[in-house]
Amino acid sequence: MFRRLFGKQDEKTEDEVKLEQSLQKTRSGILGRISTIFQENEITDELWDELEETLIAGDVGMSVTMELVEKTRRRVEQENIKATHDAYVILKQEMVKLLASDEPLHIDEPRILTVVLVVGVNGSGKTTNIGKMAHWYKNRGRKVVLGAADTFRAAAIDQLKVWGERAGVDVIAHEPGADPGAVIYDAIRASQESRKADLLLVDTAGRLQTKFNLMKELEKIKAVASKQVHRAPHEVLLVLDGSTGQNAISQVKSFRESAGVTGIILTKLDGTAKGGAILSIKRELGVPVRFVGTGEKIDDFALFDPVAFVEGLLAE
Amino acid sequence: MFESLTDKLQSVFDKLGRQGKLSENDVNVALREVRLALLEADVNFKVVKDFVEKVKTRAIGVEVMSSLTPAQQVVKIVNEELIELLGKPAPLNLGGQPPAIIMLVGLQGAGKTTMAAKLALHLRKAGQRPLLVAADIYRPAAIQQLQVLGKQIDVPVHSEGTQVPASTIAKNAARLAREKAYNVMILDTAGRLQIDEQMMQELEQVRMVARPSDVLLVVDAMTGQEAVRVAEGFNARVALTGLIMTKIDGDARGGAALSVRQVTGVPIKFLGTGEKLVDLEAFQPDRLAGRILGMGDVLTLIERAQDNITEEDALAMEKKLQDGDFDFEDFLGQLRQIKKLGPITDLLGMIPGANKMMKGVDPREAEGGLKRTEAIINSMTRKERHFPDLLNASRRRRIATGSGTTVQDVNGLIKQFREMQKMMKQLGIMGGGKGGKKRRGGLPGNIKDMFGGFG
């Protein structure tokens, strides 16, 4: 993986290309300035200061910024590196290290029915990304069903149905205001029996992590799922808006505590914000990014790859 | 647990020692912490830079007021400057030829549609005749969402499906408003990135056709450093007249408000404070400033405490503590003082970190616990209050019956009181001049025990 950072471009997969492209779409990402910093001739104190400032401006957060700069700097000194270009590569390597995860994604394991719960704060893009994810997995030969357990927000069910149509998958829904637990129950039954599906993606209502009762509700939803399917939900994915600042950490932390979040879908990466806050999350909370949402179209969805992400993040 | 800026600054100044005036060195050291606090609150780093510079010029050489520590003095200056920067709250521009048109713009997922309905409800309650207009023709079911919300608050929604351009919808809606005498029209536009040329052109078109009296940027309180670019992008194309910050009921510090306010110069008008449609507040700069600094609303709390707790009370309490004779009478007195400060739920919101500390404790239950505690103490005789050792089993039974609680409740309270007494004695021994000073005007340390002990 690290070797690719040294310029072996020909090994990129389709997903990586897509991720890099969308991250580069605008060419105005703040972190893109970093490559300009490293075009200086010499490695000076000013260079490190400028790097620090730029990382902070990219929502990377104070402590991780310090750590990242410190580590890169130490390695540059220890390895006696003189060329700024090489220092840049080291920075990239350190960033990749912050993002890489060994934990396999449980969606791809062979199983009769895999249940994925999608959670997040209001407006992070849960419904949209479930639609895109359904399309993505359907294209990879899975039989997908969607569960509309956001029974709270006005028209959330209609919105999911539109996405179901676009992706060509069935949506199991109740009336607005229904008990989300009951929706899951039915969605699992339908997936197992009439629909013969092997992947159920469940949309939940957006909730701010500080709402005690709503977070409790997630525990209940999970309990319903686990009673019907062994070890379900197999993944709980948190949808995180790429333009979120330092609150991202609090979000992941709270949702991990009450919903047992196992991974992140990082969305809205087509904007000028690139999700710099994500760099703190793997290290501080151990939750890896799994997918990225890169636009409003159904194809704007890709598997997360740390190297491609860092390349895209820093692209000028 | 999260440390408030005052605590952090306090520790910095403890190291420096006390001085009469704030020296340049003091200020520099303190401002490093301020800078960090603002960055953690997602205030844009450029805005932070300018701000810190401004505070620095103001703070150097300032005489530390006798009633404040140097840390509090710096925080006071920072807080005042923040409030100044956040600006005064401004109402909607409803004057001029009706219908007044309010246009909501912003990124995807900022909360425009919900906010449109909240504003409509707010206006309807204020005696206006609002009309909601569904001009988001892109997001699936956005129109239905507005229709459902409109029905909930009994405000009509104008929509023309997803095939008609947004500008045409706006034009038709304005005509309809004139015909049917709706005097305010709220345009819900599609979420868009400020760099999406095509979508921004659409927005310009809508604005040209609708000639809104208000173009409000809806900003998610959780937005990071990017808020500045987003605001600049929208302001350049559709000349914003105000800002609305949403999702402020979460634990985001909302520093984006400061950034956005700084780059656009337009006033912040409203805050979205919850999922219900009544959860809309007019913007108050002092409260947001406290939040951005991570201080909860400690300033308000201190003010209230100062208003309600007299100096003599505080001194008398201090003496009791030093002497170590803290009885149920004093306990009751403290409880009443706290109650005077306002509802517990309000108080907790104002104490930084309290929300986290109290996690899992239902504030309503805490309020109930407080009431029960008071009832129990009220059911004791004066003698029992002074000499808690008198409280044998029979007396405890009587107190339980008298206060409508159980013997367990009474036992619990007595046990808690003993612990508190023990702690107070220790404090009294350690205290003397310096410790006593710190405590003045503050709240007893184990508030949580007092609230959470029961239930």
Side-chain angles (χ1 to χ4, degrees):
Chain A
M1 177 156 61
F2 289 114
R3 198 178 304 152
R4 282 221 319 272
L5 282 176
F6 290 93
K8 282 205 167 184
Q9 303 273 320
D10 48 352
E11 290 168 31
K12 286 180 185 169
T13 66
E14 186 199 332
D15 268 343
E16 286 162 26
V17 172
K18 199 186 284 173
L19 173 60
E20 266 180 54
Q21 276 173 352
S22 57
L23 282 167
Q24 288 170 5
K25 229 180 232 172
T26 60
R27 308 209 161 264
S28 55
I30 283 185
L31 293 176
R33 278 201 350 230
I34 288 178
S35 63
T36 328
I37 298 173
F38 282 97
Q39 273 162 15
E40 305 286 320
N41 286 325
E42 262 176 277
I43 301 173
T44 57
D45 283 353
E46 285 83 62
L47 182 145
W48 297 117
D49 286 348
E50 212 176 319
L51 174 63
E52 191 181 300
E53 196 164 90
T54 313
L55 286 171
I56 289 168
D59 285 322
V60 175
M62 207 60 187
S63 62
V64 173
T65 295
M66 302 286 222
E67 187 189 307
L68 206 51
V69 173
E70 201 40 55
K71 267 195 184 157
T72 309
R73 192 172 182 166
R74 204 175 328 127
R75 272 188 63 191
V76 163
E77 278 158 16
Q78 276 168 0
E79 293 168 28
N80 205 15
I81 286 164
K82 293 279 179 282
T84 43
H85 172 77
D86 295 337
Y88 185 38
V89 172
I90 288 188
L91 172 72
K92 286 190 199 173
Q93 286 177 352
E94 290 299 328
M95 287 173 102
V96 169
K97 269 194 213 163
L98 279 175
L99 292 164
S101 164
D102 304 330
E103 182 76 14
L105 183 63
H106 299 296
I107 300 175
D108 302 331
E109 292 160 359
R111 200 179 281 120
I112 299 169
L113 174 65
T114 301
V115 180
V116 178
L117 201 60
V118 179
V119 300
V121 300
N122 316 58
S124 56
K126 285 174 296 301
T127 310
T128 306
N129 278 284
I130 285 178
K132 293 192 279 190
M133 194 174 170
H135 176 72
W136 199 84
Y137 271 108
K138 196 186 169 217
N139 281 351
R140 278 153 187 77
R142 302 289 291 262
K143 175 87 169 84
V144 186
V145 163
L146 304 181
D150 180 357
T151 55
F152 178 80
R153 181 169 60 90
I157 298 172
D158 297 327
Q159 189 181 348
L160 191 68
K161 281 182 177 163
V162 173
W163 277 107
E165 241 164 68
R166 286 182 187 173
V169 302
D170 283 338
V171 179
I172 308 296
H174 283 193
E175 289 300 300
D179 173 28
V183 177
I184 303 234
Y185 184 85
D186 280 356
I188 290 178
R189 286 285 293 274
S191 306
Q192 287 169 328
E193 292 162 15
S194 57
R195 305 313 200 277
K196 302 266 181 289
D198 58 18
L199 179 60
L200 170 64
L201 306 177
V202 180
D203 186 21
T204 62
R207 63 203 77 217
L208 294 180
Q209 67 272 25
T210 46
K211 301 289 159 100
F212 186 72
N213 291 339
L214 287 175
M215 295 306 273
K216 277 273 178 221
E217 184 189 85
L218 283 181
E219 287 175 26
K220 184 189 163 191
I221 292 175
K222 274 187 72 183
V224 172
S226 72
K227 267 188 197 148
Q228 283 171 283
V229 181
H230 182 58
R231 300 181 82 103
H234 305 96
E235 286 279 347
V236 180
L237 298 177
L238 174 78
V239 178
L240 188 68
D241 184 331
S243 62
T244 307
Q246 298 310 299
N247 193 248
I249 295 167
S250 162
Q251 279 179 35
V252 179
K253 204 169 164 191
S254 306
F255 276 98
R256 192 191 55 178
E257 275 166 22
S258 51
V261 162
T262 55
I264 291 166
I265 304 177
L266 192 57
T267 65
K268 306 188 194 175
L269 289 180
D270 46 335
T272 44
K274 303 293 190 200
I278 206 73
L279 285 168
S280 319
I281 285 171
K282 178 66 190 25
R283 195 205 53 166
E284 290 193 14
L285 302 163
V287 182
V289 185
R290 294 306 194 179
F291 298 96
V292 289
T294 54
E296 287 183 316
K297 285 191 290 301
I298 198 158
D299 281 318
D300 294 333
F301 190 79
L303 261 185
F304 176 77
D305 174 86
V307 176
F309 181 77
V310 168
E311 287 288 359
L313 199 64
L314 301 182
E316 209 180 323
Chain B
M1 203 179 73
F2 146 135
E3 245 186 319
S4 82
L5 182 62
T6 321
D7 293 340
K8 275 188 201 158
L9 290 181
Q10 189 66 56
S11 65
V12 170
F13 279 106
D14 281 348
K15 275 177 229 147
L16 289 175
R18 290 196 60 148
Q19 287 135 333
K21 265 184 194 164
L22 293 173
S23 72
E24 184 165 353
N25 191 35
D26 292 347
V27 174
N28 282 337
V29 174
L31 286 184
R32 206 173 299 150
E33 294 295 331
V34 173
R35 184 167 167 259
L36 207 64
L38 292 175
L39 284 172
E40 277 171 2
D42 290 324
V43 181
N44 181 272
F45 79 105
K46 275 192 197 129
V47 177
V48 171
K49 246 186 187 169
D50 295 347
F51 179 78
V52 165
E53 213 38 57
K54 211 167 148 195
V55 172
K56 189 173 162 183
T57 0
R58 218 193 110 181
I60 291 173
V62 165
E63 192 78 40
V64 176
M65 282 197 258
S66 57
S67 57
L68 297 175
T69 64
Q72 284 169 336
Q73 183 75 58
V74 172
V75 171
K76 188 168 173 282
I77 295 172
V78 169
N79 194 52
E80 282 167 8
E81 285 292 327
L82 259 187
I83 291 171
E84 164 101 28
L85 206 74
L86 283 170
K88 294 210 166 50
L92 293 167
N93 301 324
L94 296 179
Q97 184 82 9
I101 296 176
I102 301 168
M103 184 168 155
L104 298 181
V105 302
L107 297 179
Q108 292 96 338
K112 288 175 295 301
T113 308
T114 308
M115 186 47 70
K118 284 182 180 182
L119 286 176
L121 178 64
H122 171 78
L123 288 167
R124 204 204 67 195
K125 279 185 177 165
Q128 313 281 350
R129 277 173 54 81
L131 173 70
L132 282 164
V133 182
D136 179 356
I137 57 171
Y138 301 100
R139 180 164 60 92
I143 298 174
Q144 284 99 310
Q145 188 183 350
L146 197 65
Q147 282 167 341
V148 171
L149 295 174
K151 204 177 266 175
Q152 281 174 18
I153 55 173
D154 205 13
V155 171
V157 177
H158 175 77
S159 65
E160 298 180 34
T162 55
Q163 300 305 317
V164 182
S167 52
T168 313
I169 297 176
K171 201 193 317 178
N172 292 343
R175 192 176 338 115
L176 180 83
R178 274 191 295 273
E179 280 167 12
K180 301 231 170 130
Y182 293 112
N183 63 349
V184 195
M185 177 174 131
I186 302 165
L187 263 177
D188 177 31
T189 65
R192 65 201 74 215
L193 293 165
Q194 81 280 9
I195 47 164
D196 189 329
E197 185 50 40
Q198 218 179 331
M199 290 293 282
M200 290 309 278
Q201 274 176 14
E202 186 212 65
L203 208 57
E204 283 178 325
Q205 248 173 26
V206 173
R207 181 173 165 267
M208 243 148 59
V209 171
R211 299 169 172 275
S213 51
D214 254 320
V215 182
L216 305 177
L217 179 69
V218 180
V219 186
D220 185 328
M222 294 175 279
T223 314
Q225 299 279 324
E226 276 302 300
V228 162
R229 281 166 182 245
V230 173
E232 277 171 348
F234 276 97
N235 199 26
R237 304 296 288 266
V238 290
L240 304 172
T241 63
L243 308 166
I244 295 180
M245 180 148 266
T246 58
K247 304 180 205 173
I248 200 90
D249 48 328
D251 59 358
R253 306 256 292 274
L258 197 64
S259 316
V260 172
R261 158 92 188 136
Q262 174 79 342
V263 295
T264 61
V266 299
I268 303 170
K269 297 202 168 179
F270 290 98
L271 304 178
T273 57
E275 288 188 332
K276 289 192 294 300
L277 294 177
V278 291
D279 296 331
L280 179 74
E281 254 177 39
F283 159 71
Q284 284 177 343
D286 44 345
R287 294 195 60 177
L288 196 59
R291 185 187 186 106
I292 290 172
L293 289 176
M295 305 203 308
D297 227 348
V298 164
L299 293 165
T300 317
L301 190 62
I302 291 173
E303 270 168 30
R304 282 205 209 167
Q306 279 169 346
D307 290 344
N308 286 297
I309 300 169
T310 62
E311 186 80 354
E312 291 95 86
D313 284 350
L315 280 175
M317 182 54 70
E318 224 175 285
K319 176 141 179 15
K320 277 192 183 287
L321 289 177
Q322 277 166 22
D323 300 344
D325 57 80
F326 177 78
D327 60 20
F328 268 117
E329 201 75 54
D330 305 319
F331 194 172
L332 191 64
Q334 289 219 336
L335 274 188
R336 289 190 174 146
Q337 276 180 358
I338 290 170
K339 271 177 74 180
K340 262 196 267 178
L341 300 182
I344 303 285
T345 33
D346 277 18
L347 291 185
L348 290 179
M350 287 186 236
I351 303 171
N355 281 329
K356 273 183 193 153
M357 195 169 80
M358 298 292 290
K359 216 173 190 177
V361 180
D362 185 346
R364 270 163 306 178
E365 238 170 67
E367 196 100 38
L370 208 58
K371 263 195 196 135
R372 268 200 298 280
T373 303
E374 205 182 332
I376 293 174
I377 300 178
N378 278 334
S379 298
M380 296 176 184
T381 64
R382 188 140 295 171
K383 210 167 167 192
E384 283 166 346
R385 291 183 207 176
H386 281 305
F387 306 102
D389 290 337
L390 285 174
L391 293 166
N392 58 22
S394 137
R395 283 175 190 261
R396 288 183 194 200
R397 262 199 306 276
R398 191 204 78 236
I399 290 166
T401 321
S403 58
T405 56
T406 63
V407 177
Q408 280 88 341
D409 285 341
V410 178
N411 287 342
L413 177 65
I414 293 171
K415 196 172 157 214
Q416 217 181 302
F417 171 78
R418 292 273 179 229
E419 274 161 22
M420 216 169 145
Q421 208 178 21
K422 213 157 68 189
M423 210 185 67
M424 296 280 188
K425 257 184 201 149
Q426 278 165 357
L427 274 175
I429 293 162
M430 286 188 322
K434 214 182 161 199
K437 197 149 214 164
K438 256 189 187 166
R439 244 184 345 262
R440 189 182 306 157
L443 292 160
N446 51 352
I447 299 182
K448 190 193 171 185
D449 289 350
M450 267 155 62
F451 297 158
F454 300 102

